Amino acid sequence: MIQFILKRLAVAIPTLLVLIVVSFFLMKMAPGNPFAGEKTVPQSVLDNIYARYGLDKPEWQQLAEYIYNVVFRFDFGPSFQYRDRTVNDIIAQGFPVTFTYGAWAFVAASVIGIALGVVAAVRQNSWADYLSVGFSIGAQVVPNFVMAPILVLVFTLWLRWLPGGGWNGGHWSNVVLPVVALATSYFANIARITRSSMLEVLGSNYIRTARAKGLPGWKVIFGHALRPALLPVVSYLGPVFVGMVTGSVVIDLYFSTGGIGQAFVNSALNRDYSTILGITILLGALTITANLVVDVLYAWIDPKIEL
Amino acid sequence: MLADNRIKTVTSLEAAPAELPTKGRSLWRDAGRRFMANKAALTSLIVLIGVVLFTIVGPYFAKWSIEKVDWSVVGNVLHAGAPSLETGHYFGTDEVGRDLYSRVIQGTQISLLVGLVGSAIAVIVGTIYGAVAGYFGGRLDSAMMRLVDIIYSIPYMFILILLLIVFGRSFIMLFVGIGLISWLGMSRVVRGQTLTLKNREFVEAAIATGSKPRDVIFRHIVPNLLGIVAIYATLLVPEMILLESFISFLGLGVQEPNTSLGALISEGAQTMQYGTYWQLAFPLVFFITILFTFFFVGDGLRDALDPKDR
Amino acid sequence: MMITQTLKAAMVAAALLSATALTAPAYAAMVPEGTKLAAEQVFKYRVLDNINTLDPQLVEDVDTSAVVRSLFEGLYNSGPDGEPVPGVAESYDVNEDNTVYTFHLRDAKWSNGEPVIAGDFVYAWQRAVTPETASNYAYFVGLVGVVNADAIVAGEKKPEELGVKAIDDKTLEVTLSFSSPWFIRTLSHATLFPTYKASVDKGIDWTKPENMVSNGAFTLAENTPGERVVLKRNPNYWDNEHTVLEEVQFLTINDENQGLTRWRAGEVDQTDVPAGQYPALKAELPDNTFSVPQFCTYYFSVNMTDKQPNAALADVKVREALSLAIDRDVIVNGILQGGQQPAYSFTHPLTAGFTMPEIAAAAMTQEERDAKAVALMTEAGFSKDNPLTINYIYNTSEAHKKIATVVSQMWKEKLGVTMNLQDMEFQTLLDTRHSKTYELARNAWCGDYNEASTFLSLLDSKSEQNDQGYANADVDSWLAASKTAEDPNVQYAEIEAQAAKDVPIMPIYFYAKVFMQNADVKGWPYDDVEQNWYAKDLYKVAE
């Protein structure tokens, strides 16, 4: 197991390096520069800014210094867009926010999605089945950029129950709407996968045997069927987790949470090279870690799998 | 998948006697029969065909083009731009007085096209890639799969935004951007499937008789992957349509005056609180209908073909 | 970014004539007697996600300036109608030819209790131009005329050689490289605010709440980019007794419709009105809905260089026809609907001291314009049978898209012109406009200072902002002459007339700021076309 993890980590490093290099050059290919605005800045001023951020050096040197700083000093450099902040600052501020609502949304989506899926499978072809599948797909097909403003209209303007945005240091009332808006887009797939794998397990011989032994229905389901049925769900949850703690542009945009998603899109649109790279590395590392965790979990759930 | 009529006893892909194309047909016939017995999937398929037909026939009933501005509506969209048979704006108008009926039809066409092309790219690239990796195995396999892992670990949204920034907005870039991502999952599924197929007698026999790897892959392996590929592709279509809507929301979708359902919904969502509900309602109904039907058709297909792997 | 405001012509004249100390009363929240103030004095203002820095010398945009204006205070502030009012300076003297200004500072304090001295200004201004600071607005110090500023930015001189010195702790002397009667008006710009050296020396973290020392009416309590900036009243501010607000919150709300929902829910005190919604909101909430003129012009740029890919646009007849066929009234009254004014010339009509020249097209009816446009197109050899195709580029935004859409239909229906719309994101648009590979591009300009040259200098063939690449020797010489002219309106009228004739730009409309504001908020500077507001001037009354 440990050997497996080490091996995967060894592969992760070149993967991240490739990621940095590709992102760096793609970024440089994009037209525009981080310091351009509606009003043109004189060349002498631009020269000073370029010198300040080392952008006057050859690109390979910029890249080499960047990688050096990241690897040996864990320094992602200054942001070009937020002039009095470093990329470390931006990540330190934005990531906990994104992670908080992302993790809650992940928990909510997993619990509700799996519950819906199990109910649908156990009561196959009943109204409960139709309702849970219909509900989960219904929640997914409404894009969250429609869901978010609707939630705000209902819960902020009409009912006055919850604030329509802001983070407020992670106060629960500010967290609820982002979590709901984000979680709903993931119910359906989790429920669908749970349902079909549950059905398969329920149809298998050993469950029939368990039932034949006269074990009560819920004990069969939770004691014997659920664990193997969750295998495909777990492999799906890895990417979902990454998606939730990263793909939060819509949430950040509508709820002004100050998360990493908005910082990411903003820095891409403003050509804030260092922030883009910093966040890309963070997200890449997260993805790799999440995939690793999924594989370990997989082995834990299904001892037959060898790592 | 609502009415999940899984038939355990009948042939699954694994057990399909797939040596000869002629025999393969019976598998499809069986699957077809099972699919027809699945009411939810069948209804969805009919509705979906209805939507497609509507996008073909619908334009003949349109009184306005997708770009023509109805000047009598401009400045008074809330009242003059509401859905009406008299004005010919059956679905109302958008904020600048363009006919939503025509625009929804065009948006539906484009969203469907994006979904289909996206999954077509996945089918072609993913299948070949996965089959090659799985068939040859060894170093080539691990190198190819490592590449997939690497691409998987790149935040796709970032690549998409970068691509659209670097190369500008266009239909082609949209398809490339979507296709770039869509094939990854397919290649993994196909590779896994190929690994099991590779050790089957008919493949081993073909190799033993001296068939070239290319022939083995295209004549023997790929045809046997069609089932799983078809299911996966059908389920990819709604994902691609959702992805496109997100891209449009970011303002990076197709160029005006062309539109997509994602773009229309994104515009409609902005004005919903001002009383012009039709700007959101009509595109959203089409959007949801398409996604629902594709999900059900995909699930129906899966149940009908009943492969073990997904 | 906008600089300062309407110093009325009379005031300029007064400054020109009197070389003596000029003392005006300071300005603060002017609460009429007997007003019942609200118990909670917290003002919540909507901003976009663009509070990029709170370092005065690095500030670039309007929203950030609003934050920094309440944190720091310059020599002069801008008053309710945009006229300069004393800030840290109590008064100033100026020499005969308006090149040496001497400021007399009042007893102001930093938020840590230390006095604000002339040396703090010297430090800050030198800091602004020092190459290592790498400020985008470094050029501003040179623009307003401080001696040696440009040379220091270019690295040719040392920062110490900047034309600003502290005679003593209470006296600051500024030397300008040219005669500038409007210098006072530039002092409320963030670049020229003082900064506290011991605080700045803490490095990049100096603008964090725990490190920042400021001299404005408020101090920084929290700064979370993308979420909010919170300011708290500064008890060490020299005019603290007149400050009413206890707290100011700048809340990031990127989506304007979302902003409106949250304004209705009472979560913000002020928010912008989305395009097209003004009439309905005005009818529904007349006391909360405002539209005031804004100092900007929206226009299309035509590529006038040899790089213009579309030969037809090199023909002045085609350009004029296209411009005439744009029905500006429909855009203003049908699409934007927020009190914007149709534009047929470049300079904003409310520019101080500016007389709007008569432009022929402005006096015609739209039918006349259309008829002339068709005639011109025919002369140029284009018709519906031989149609012209044009590529138009604009940046991603609902409002730009709407305008592009209706203009394309106007041209199609009237002239048979096909206008291909190319939506690109902002940075790409900037790049394309600068490299001059476009045919026709969206553009807009907001005045930097309240004088017509802030607009017209864009038509100078040497201007960095001349995206059209328009070069006309007469225009260049009129611009040069206007600087020393007794009445520059003579030259300005010539330039506008020449521009209307050559059509390097097609003006569309003059901006309006359209916003919702809670009725309990008082003291907002509605009369300032640049909308430079100070939190210290605002107060909330009990409802």
Side-chain angles (χ1 to χ4, degrees):
Chain A
M1 171 84 101
I2 294 192
Q3 202 189 357
F4 165 79
I5 294 175
L6 286 178
K7 215 168 102 189
R8 286 285 292 264
L9 287 179
V11 180
I13 290 163
T15 305
L16 278 177
L17 278 179
V18 171
L19 184 57
I20 294 176
V21 174
V22 170
S23 319
F24 182 85
F25 285 106
L26 257 182
M27 196 78 235
K28 293 276 177 179
M29 271 171 75
N33 82 68
F35 306 103
E38 184 88 62
K39 296 189 176 171
T40 314
V41 177
Q43 193 57 43
S44 59
V45 173
L46 212 51
D47 288 345
N48 289 338
I49 297 172
Y50 276 25
R52 159 81 176 73
Y53 291 105
L55 293 171
D56 50 347
K57 294 174 188 160
E59 286 188 354
W60 63 266
Q61 197 183 341
Q62 293 176 32
L63 181 61
E65 286 177 11
Y66 182 82
I67 293 173
Y68 176 87
N69 283 333
V70 168
V71 172
F72 295 101
R73 297 163 54 192
F74 204 66
D75 174 6
F76 290 89
S79 162
F80 301 156
Q81 184 197 356
Y82 295 101
R83 298 289 303 273
D84 52 5
R85 297 176 88 78
T86 61
V87 177
N88 294 40
D89 279 344
I90 292 173
I91 291 175
Q93 179 223 314
F95 185 63
V97 171
T98 305
F99 190 82
T100 306
Y101 69 70
W104 280 114
F106 177 75
V107 171
S110 308
V111 170
I112 296 172
I114 291 173
L116 288 174
V118 169
V119 169
V122 173
R123 300 261 176 273
Q124 191 187 0
N125 294 339
S126 72
W127 62 269
D129 182 9
Y130 301 145
L131 200 69
S132 35
V133 174
F135 172 74
S136 58
I137 297 186
Q140 176 169 8
V141 295
V142 178
N144 53 10
F145 57 82
V146 177
M147 185 72 86
I150 289 177
L151 288 174
V152 173
L153 272 181
V154 173
F155 291 99
T156 304
L157 187 56
W158 297 343
L159 299 174
R160 308 266 167 145
W161 286 355
L162 295 163
W167 189 242
N168 208 7
H171 190 267
W172 69 269
S173 64
N174 294 75
V175 182
V176 175
L177 292 185
V179 167
V180 173
L182 188 55
T184 45
S185 8
Y186 291 92
F187 284 173
N189 282 347
I190 298 175
R192 282 148 39 96
I193 294 169
T194 310
R195 180 177 178 277
S196 63
S197 93
M198 193 75 185
L199 279 177
E200 200 150 328
V201 174
L202 287 178
S204 65
N205 288 333
Y206 83 101
I207 294 293
R208 281 197 214 123
T209 318
R211 280 216 169 113
K213 279 198 241 161
L215 285 174
W218 61 269
K219 209 167 179 182
V220 173
I221 291 161
F222 291 100
H224 296 78
L226 193 56
R227 194 156 133 161
L230 285 184
L231 260 181
V233 183
V234 168
S235 65
Y236 176 72
L237 288 183
V240 166
F241 181 75
V242 176
M244 285 197 172
V245 299
T246 59
S248 52
V249 189
V250 175
I251 303 300
D252 289 341
L253 188 72
Y254 278 106
F255 296 108
S256 311
T257 38
I260 209 91
Q262 178 69 19
F264 187 51
V265 171
N266 255 352
S267 49
L269 295 182
N270 286 303
R271 311 291 187 270
D272 186 348
Y273 306 137
S274 53
T275 307
I276 270 289
L277 279 179
I279 298 179
T280 306
I281 294 169
L282 173 80
L283 301 192
L286 261 178
T287 314
I288 292 170
T289 316
N291 287 338
L292 183 59
V293 170
V294 165
D295 288 343
V296 173
L297 264 182
Y298 224 84
W300 176 72
I301 296 179
D302 185 0
K304 275 183 291 183
I305 291 178
E306 274 180 45
L307 289 178
Chain B
M1 182 145 123
L2 273 181
D4 191 301
N5 302 323
R6 300 170 78 93
I7 302 165
K8 286 281 142 203
T9 48
V10 205
T11 0
S12 77
L13 253 196
E14 288 284 320
E19 301 93 295
L20 296 168
T22 43
K23 279 205 179 172
R25 219 174 275 155
S26 72
L27 160 76
W28 290 97
R29 199 177 298 145
D30 283 347
R33 209 172 50 232
R34 281 196 297 278
F35 186 87
M36 299 305 251
N38 183 336
K39 286 199 196 86
L42 191 63
T43 315
S44 293
L45 186 65
I46 293 168
V47 172
L48 189 59
I49 292 171
V51 171
V52 173
L53 283 180
F54 176 70
T55 66
I56 298 167
V57 180
Y60 295 106
F61 298 96
K63 290 196 180 152
W64 298 81
S65 73
I66 57 159
E67 55 170 0
K68 190 155 174 60
V69 172
D70 182 350
W71 299 109
S72 68
V73 167
V74 172
N76 190 21
V77 174
L78 182 57
H79 302 292
S84 145
L85 286 176
E86 267 166 62
T87 57
H89 300 300
Y90 313 125
F91 291 179
T93 70
D94 70 2
E95 280 295 284
V96 290
R98 288 179 297 183
D99 184 41
L100 265 186
Y101 175 77
S102 292
R103 292 183 70 74
V104 166
I105 289 175
Q106 207 233 359
T108 310
Q109 289 169 343
I110 290 190
S111 286
L112 281 172
L113 194 64
V114 166
L116 294 176
V117 172
S119 61
I121 294 174
V123 167
I124 296 165
V125 179
T127 307
I128 295 175
Y129 194 93
V132 167
Y135 178 79
F136 289 102
R139 284 230 180 120
L140 184 69
D141 178 32
S142 54
M144 285 175 83
M145 284 300 119
R146 188 53 50 206
L147 184 68
V148 170
D149 287 347
I150 290 176
I151 301 177
Y152 246 129
S153 70
I154 298 175
Y156 79 88
M157 204 180 65
F158 162 67
I159 291 297
L160 213 55
I161 291 173
L162 273 189
L163 281 176
L164 290 162
I165 283 170
V166 174
F167 299 105
R169 302 168 57 152
S170 68
F171 273 103
I172 295 174
M173 278 321 296
L174 191 63
F175 290 143
V176 168
I178 285 176
L180 264 185
I181 295 149
S182 64
W183 66 274
L184 298 172
M186 180 71 92
S187 72
R188 281 186 174 174
V189 172
V190 167
R191 170 183 169 268
Q193 212 48 41
T194 309
L195 282 179
T196 53
L197 281 175
K198 197 169 81 172
N199 299 322
R200 301 276 297 283
E201 299 86 8
F202 69 94
V203 176
E204 278 171 356
I207 297 171
T209 54
S211 300
K212 288 188 200 132
R214 201 182 64 186
D215 294 339
V216 177
I217 290 176
F218 285 100
R219 291 222 187 116
H220 300 283
I221 294 187
V222 170
N224 282 292
L225 292 169
L226 283 183
I228 187 132
V229 167
I231 295 159
Y232 199 83
T234 317
L235 291 174
L236 255 180
V237 173
E239 309 245 331
M240 294 298 113
I241 294 177
L242 273 169
L243 181 58
E244 190 282 330
S245 76
F246 180 66
I247 295 170
S248 290
F249 164 76
L250 287 178
L252 299 166
V254 295
Q255 290 281 9
E256 290 284 326
N258 294 318
T259 191
S260 69
L261 286 179
L264 289 171
I265 290 168
S266 169
E267 283 168 26
Q270 293 183 352
T271 55
M272 65 181 170
Q273 57 172 309
Y274 309 124
T276 50
Y277 64 90
W278 59 87
Q279 293 174 353
L280 176 62
F282 287 104
L284 194 60
V285 164
F286 274 79
F287 186 77
I288 291 179
T289 307
I290 291 174
L291 294 188
F292 253 97
T293 52
F294 263 106
F295 276 130
F296 284 130
V297 170
D299 283 342
L301 262 186
R302 178 167 57 203
D303 292 349
L305 290 163
D306 192 35
K308 287 271 178 282
D309 201 317
R310 265 180 300 279
Chain C
M1 174 163 49
M2 328 218 165
I3 298 167
T4 55
Q5 234 335 297
T6 330
L7 190 59
K8 287 185 177 141
M11 191 120 175
V12 179
L16 278 165
L17 294 173
S18 70
T20 52
L22 198 120
T23 317
Y27 189 79
M30 297 296 174
V31 186
E33 255 185 71
T35 306
K36 192 160 181 282
L37 289 173
E40 197 198 43
Q41 292 290 338
V42 180
F43 180 63
K44 295 175 183 169
Y45 182 75
R46 172 198 168 223
V47 290
L48 295 172
D49 182 11
N50 55 4
I51 309 299
N52 291 341
T53 174
L54 295 180
D55 183 332
Q57 270 80 51
L58 295 179
V59 168
E60 289 174 49
D61 64 290
V62 180
D63 279 345
T64 314
S65 297
V67 182
V68 170
R69 261 200 310 275
S70 288
L71 284 172
F72 294 86
E73 185 172 53
L75 293 166
Y76 272 70
N77 298 326
S78 80
D81 51 2
E83 284 179 36
V85 291
V88 174
E90 240 165 2
S91 64
Y92 68 92
D93 305 311
V94 60
N95 69 349
E96 297 249 341
D97 60 352
N98 294 308
T99 53
V100 180
Y101 283 76
T102 310
F103 295 94
H104 305 287
L105 311 192
R106 69 175 80 244
D107 292 324
K109 280 184 190 153
W110 289 99
S111 53
N112 63 357
E114 292 293 314
V116 178
I117 55 171
D120 294 328
F121 283 91
V122 175
Y123 168 71
W125 292 20
Q126 288 178 351
R127 182 170 176 264
V129 291
T130 304
E132 286 74 44
T133 309
S135 167
N136 275 29
Y137 264 76
Y139 71 90
F140 183 79
V141 186
L143 182 79
V144 304
V146 182
V147 161
N148 287 340
D150 291 333
I152 299 167
V153 170
E156 290 152 13
K157 291 204 161 137
K158 290 202 195 80
E160 295 76 47
E161 295 173 71
L162 188 68
V164 55
K165 72 177 177 218
I167 306 285
D168 56 45
D169 277 357
K170 291 268 168 272
T171 316
L172 183 75
E173 186 187 275
V174 182
T175 315
L176 304 182
S177 55
F178 55 81
S179 167
S180 172
W182 41 267
F183 179 66
I184 297 297
R185 284 187 274 161
T186 66
L187 296 172
S188 59
H189 192 272
T191 314
L192 301 180
F193 288 172
T195 35
Y196 189 68
K197 184 164 186 300
S199 172
V200 176
D201 283 344
K202 291 185 175 154
I204 194 170
D205 285 335
W206 84 269
T207 53
K208 300 247 167 18
E210 62 273 21
N211 296 332
M212 183 188 275
V213 174
S214 62
N215 73 326
F218 294 83
T219 55
L220 182 63
E222 183 191 331
N223 177 18
T224 319
E227 191 208 348
R228 64 181 178 186
V229 181
V230 180
L231 312 187
K232 287 261 193 318
R233 181 191 189 125
N234 175 10
N236 279 319
Y237 179 59
W238 64 270
D239 199 19
N240 181 42
E241 58 172 317
H242 289 116
T243 306
V244 181
L245 291 183
E246 291 294 332
E247 186 175 314
V248 190
Q249 297 185 3
F250 296 83
L251 302 176
T252 295
I253 307 176
N254 280 298
D255 184 85
E256 55 188 2
N257 302 294
Q258 213 55 9
L260 189 59
T261 310
R262 290 179 64 186
W263 179 82
R264 281 179 185 273
E267 293 190 5
V268 276
D269 291 313
Q270 202 204 56
T271 192
D272 288 331
V273 171
Q277 301 306 327
Y278 177 74
L281 287 166
K282 186 74 188 171
E284 185 193 339
L285 302 158
D287 298 338
N288 301 107
T289 316
F290 300 89
S291 169
V292 294
Q294 202 180 0
F295 206 43
C296 310
T297 308
Y298 191 102
Y299 59 99
F300 290 174
S301 281
V302 186
N303 185 353
M304 302 286 285
T305 65
D306 298 341
K307 283 189 258 177
Q308 167 67 268
N310 192 334
L313 285 171
D315 184 344
V316 66
K317 286 181 190 131
V318 172
R319 294 198 300 271
E320 193 181 352
L322 292 173
S323 182
L324 286 168
I326 300 171
D327 190 339
R328 288 144 175 98
D329 293 317
V330 167
I331 293 174
V332 168
N333 300 324
I335 303 296
L336 304 166
Q337 307 183 65
Q340 293 83 357
Q341 295 299 317
Y344 298 91
S345 55
F346 191 28
T347 312
H348 196 284
L350 293 178
T351 309
F354 177 70
T355 321
M356 270 293 264
E358 287 190 10
I359 301 292
M364 296 156 80
T365 65
Q366 190 59 40
E367 286 71 36
E368 290 167 354
R369 286 183 211 119
D370 291 345
K372 191 175 174 197
V374 172
L376 283 167
M377 274 313 251
T378 317
E379 270 181 59
F382 293 101
S383 63
K384 289 188 179 173
D385 303 321
N386 176 27
L388 171 64
T389 303
I390 298 172
N391 292 315
Y392 170 71
I393 59 172
Y394 64 104
N395 58 305
T396 311
S397 133
E398 276 303 309
H400 300 331
K401 189 166 83 185
K402 286 179 185 170
I403 290 170
T405 302
V406 295
V407 170
S408 77
Q409 289 306 301
M410 288 168 185
W411 285 353
K412 182 169 234 169
E413 289 173 15
K414 294 171 187 174
L415 307 174
V417 170
T418 305
M419 180 184 184
N420 292 328
L421 307 183
Q422 284 175 11
D423 181 339
M424 37 178 73
E425 43 91 42
F426 190 51
Q427 285 288 337
T428 311
L429 177 80
L430 290 179
D431 207 62
T432 317
R433 265 191 337 218
H434 280 299
S435 59
K436 306 210 171 53
T437 50
Y438 68 95
E439 296 179 17
L440 193 66
R442 181 206 77 87
N443 219 328
W445 184 256
C446 292
D448 265 331
Y449 48 87
N450 204 343
E451 212 278 333
S453 60
T454 193
F455 286 97
L456 293 174
S457 62
L458 264 72
L459 298 172
D460 191 321
S461 61
K462 295 172 295 297
S463 166
E464 266 142 353
Q465 320 290 354
N466 185 343
D467 289 329
Q468 299 76 238
Y470 174 59
N472 181 304
D474 289 339
V475 170
D476 289 0
S477 62
W478 283 321
L479 275 168
S482 71
K483 282 182 184 162
T484 49
E486 204 159 300
D487 180 12
N489 275 316
V490 178
Q491 282 85 14
Y492 293 160
E494 296 274 15
I495 299 167
E496 289 280 15
Q498 189 66 39
K501 209 172 112 201
D502 292 343
V503 206
I505 63 167
M506 303 175 191
I508 311 286
Y509 70 90
F510 300 116
Y511 280 48
K513 180 177 166 67
V514 195
F515 59 99
M516 307 299 296
Q517 186 170 278
N518 282 349
D520 62 348
V521 175
K522 303 289 175 196
W524 188 265
Y526 302 104
D527 295 334
D528 177 355
V529 278
E530 291 180 293
Q531 296 287 301
N532 285 333
W533 62 278
Y534 292 78
K536 68 182 178 64
D537 300 344
L538 305 181
Y539 59 95
K540 277 186 160 182
V541 295
E543 286 181 61

